[in-house]
Amino acid sequence: EAGVVQSPRYKIIEKKQPVAFWCNPISGHNTLYWYRQNLGQGPELLIRYENEEAVDDSQLPKDRFSAERLKGVDSTLKIQPAELGDSAVYLCASSHRAGRNTGELFFGEGSRLTVL
Amino acid sequence: AQTVTQSQPEMSVQEAETVTLSCTYDTSENNYYLFWYKQPPSRQMILVIRQEAYKQQNATENRFSVNFQKAAKSFSLKISDSQLGDTAMYFCAFMEYGNKLVFGAGTILRVKS
């Protein structure tokens, strides 16, 4: 079974530039999460999708961040414009319906963003 | 709001020895889950072990076991017979049923040969 796939693995951009991250969850997983992990810290939830619906986006900085999950499968997280403080690893995770309630998440390898 | 505290930023252990990673959490809820996730260098995070708060028996998974002290809100991870492949960042995490997963800041574990 293929795991959660993310791209790109690494991205270096100048501040004020846009950037987008893509995630393909495990087949059959209805729930998809985007987390941000700052250096030396634990991941923090940005947004959670149930199928194509964003059910928790309270921590997503909506002035510059946006996300979508068309057709309830792949998802894209966008930052526009990027700021220096956005440098972090962006993790995508997915879970099946039961896993959503029991905390068993499957993570991708992450996309490391460096904003110069 | 729930918080998870890992007071050990880094730990080292000799191969084949035992190490314990500490975690405390804060919640007013009675029903919840606790987890230890492992994040190897440049690799994806994986679930190591899970504990349901209503279960008094401590969870075990092969060389990994927990010491769950509900009254003290403590949840430590014991790794027995440490192996080089155990080198990773370990995150303690908390979740109310159906709610979001809250992670601690992590403990870097280095297993030395």
Side-chain angles (χ1 to χ4, degrees):
Chain A
E1 177 182 85
V4 177
V5 180
Q6 291 187 247
S7 68
R9 287 293 311 278
Y10 304 94
K11 189 73 175 179
I12 301 174
I13 60 172
E14 299 280 338
K15 63 180 180 182
K16 299 185 181 180
Q17 294 299 305
V19 64
F21 305 111
W22 174 81
C23 173
N24 179 244
I26 292 174
S27 178
H29 281 192
N30 303 93
T31 308
L32 184 145
Y33 313 77
W34 282 103
Y35 282 85
R36 176 168 60 189
Q37 185 177 16
N38 293 315
L39 186 63
Q41 298 182 24
E44 295 180 327
L45 181 68
L46 291 173
I47 190 168
R48 174 168 65 101
Y49 282 94
E50 295 293 338
N51 298 306
E52 64 273 13
E53 181 183 359
V55 296
D56 184 356
D57 63 355
S58 57
Q59 301 301 311
L60 189 73
K62 297 180 182 63
D63 56 337
R64 298 182 300 107
F65 286 65
S66 64
E68 61 181 10
R69 191 184 184 197
L70 300 177
K71 301 181 181 179
V73 182
D74 296 359
S75 178
T76 302
L77 177 69
K78 298 178 181 177
I79 309 174
Q80 182 172 9
E83 296 179 352
L84 295 177
D86 296 331
S87 294
V89 176
Y90 291 84
L91 297 169
C92 180
S94 69
S95 67
H96 49 67
R97 193 172 304 277
R100 179 197 69 192
N101 293 327
T102 60
E104 186 169 8
L105 275 58
F106 296 82
F107 285 85
E109 293 182 307
S111 295
R112 182 178 296 276
L113 173 65
T114 301
V115 182
L116 303 176
Chain B
Q2 291 79 25
T3 59
V4 178
T5 302
Q6 294 180 250
S7 59
Q8 305 153 314
E10 296 187 29
M11 296 277 287
S12 293
V13 64
Q14 286 295 130
E15 201 174 3
E17 293 188 348
T18 296
V19 65
T20 299
L21 307 184
S22 301
C23 173
T24 58
Y25 58 95
D26 185 31
T27 183
S28 57
E29 298 297 322
N30 195 47
N31 296 317
Y32 49 87
Y33 295 92
L34 292 161
F35 312 85
W36 281 97
Y37 273 85
K38 169 185 177 182
Q39 188 176 40
S42 300
R43 297 186 63 184
Q44 61 257 60
M45 196 173 325
I46 57 173
L47 179 64
V48 174
I49 197 166
R50 176 177 61 214
Q51 175 78 41
E52 295 167 68
Y54 69 88
K55 291 186 176 179
Q56 294 185 347
Q57 186 173 7
N58 289 323
T60 62
E61 287 289 342
N62 301 313
R63 298 182 295 107
F64 299 86
S65 61
V66 299
N67 183 2
F68 174 46
Q69 301 290 327
K70 191 172 184 179
K73 296 181 182 176
S74 170
F75 184 62
S76 61
L77 174 69
K78 185 172 80 172
I79 305 174
S80 303
D81 185 25
S82 296
Q83 301 175 359
L84 296 178
D86 295 333
T87 292
M89 176 81 92
Y90 287 81
F91 291 98
C92 179
F94 167 97
M95 191 184 82
E96 294 174 11
Y97 185 82
N99 211 323
K100 67 179 182 181
L101 205 55
V102 177
F103 289 88
T107 296
I108 297 172
L109 176 66
R110 294 188 176 87
V111 180
K112 300 178 179 179
S113 58

